[in-house]
Amino acid sequence: MSDALIISTSYGTETDEIRTPLEALQEAGVTTTVASVDGSRIQTLGADRTTGPLVDSDTTLGAVAASDHDIVIIPGGTLNADELRIDPDAQRIVRDAAANGIPVAAICHGPWLLVTADLVVGKTLTSYPTLAADIINAGGSWVDEEVCVDPTNGFVLITSRTPEDLPAFTGAVLDAVA
């Protein structure tokens, strides 16, 4: 059986970008762990403004290891991604995933963490369009596609742009853990 790890802060995660993959993974029988910075429930937001439902966190980022999972998923939300990208445990998790050949999936502003963790060099990926310059400046190639799957540099990177791309993103995540 597969095991997925979703990492987040406790505030500002885009509602659909955490709930849609979480629900799809659970429906597919994938054991899914949600880890937040401090282990508290995650207050989601719609479009960075509208309060959404809370999502339960199972543990803290400090208590998880990427090597215990088959994929690491980074949901977006500007506030979530801006805080997550500077969190040392979040950086450790994605670096360890990449070093161990574990797929990493990031949507919307989620790739900011990958830029900070120096994991986009030589990779082709997509994101929310405002991150294109950050990705290019960090050594990656940015494409405007609903989902991009890049297997180079020793790990699979799955990325998407916005909540509208969730069907393609979630499909690629499910394929990666199949």
Side-chain angles (χ1 to χ4, degrees), residues 78-149:
T78 310
L79 299 173
N80 171 63
D82 192 43
E83 184 180 335
L84 200 60
R85 70 182 170 152
I86 60 168
D87 185 273
D89 286 315
Q91 292 174 25
R92 172 189 52 80
I93 290 165
V94 295
R95 284 185 184 125
D96 288 350
N100 287 294
I102 297 165
V104 176
I107 187 167
C108 199
H109 286 81
W112 258 343
L113 173 57
L114 304 172
V115 168
T116 303
D118 202 29
L119 293 175
V120 302
V121 175
K123 293 291 244 183
T124 299
L125 61 153
T126 193
S127 66
Y128 194 77
T130 59
L131 274 63
D134 295 337
I135 290 166
I136 293 165
N137 290 337
S141 297
W142 188 85
V143 294
D144 186 13
E145 298 174 3
E146 68 177 355
V147 68
C148 181
V149 179

Side-chain angles (χ1 to χ4, degrees), residues 34-51:
V34 177
S36 64
V37 172
D38 60 6
S40 64
R41 296 176 85 189
I42 299 162
Q43 177 60 67
T44 67
L45 296 177
D48 294 327
R49 292 176 196 85
T50 307
T51 302

Side-chain angles (χ1 to χ4, degrees), residues 1-2 21-32 170 174 177-178:
M1 181 185 302
S2 296
L22 174 61
E23 291 167 4
L25 287 160
Q26 290 172 335
E27 287 174 17
V30 176
T31 302
T32 307
T170 303
L174 291 171
V177 296

Side-chain angles (χ1 to χ4, degrees), residues 5-7 17 21 25 70-76 94 97 102-108 110-111 113-114 147-148 155-160 169-170 172-174 176:
L5 173 64
I6 299 175
I7 62 173
E17 292 174 359
L25 287 160
D70 299 305
I71 191 167
V72 174
I73 302 163
I74 310 162
V94 295
I102 297 165
V104 176
I107 187 167
C108 199
L113 173 57
L114 304 172
V147 68
C148 181
F155 74 102
V156 172
L157 177 59
I158 302 164
T159 52
S160 283
F169 179 74
T170 303
V173 167
L174 291 171

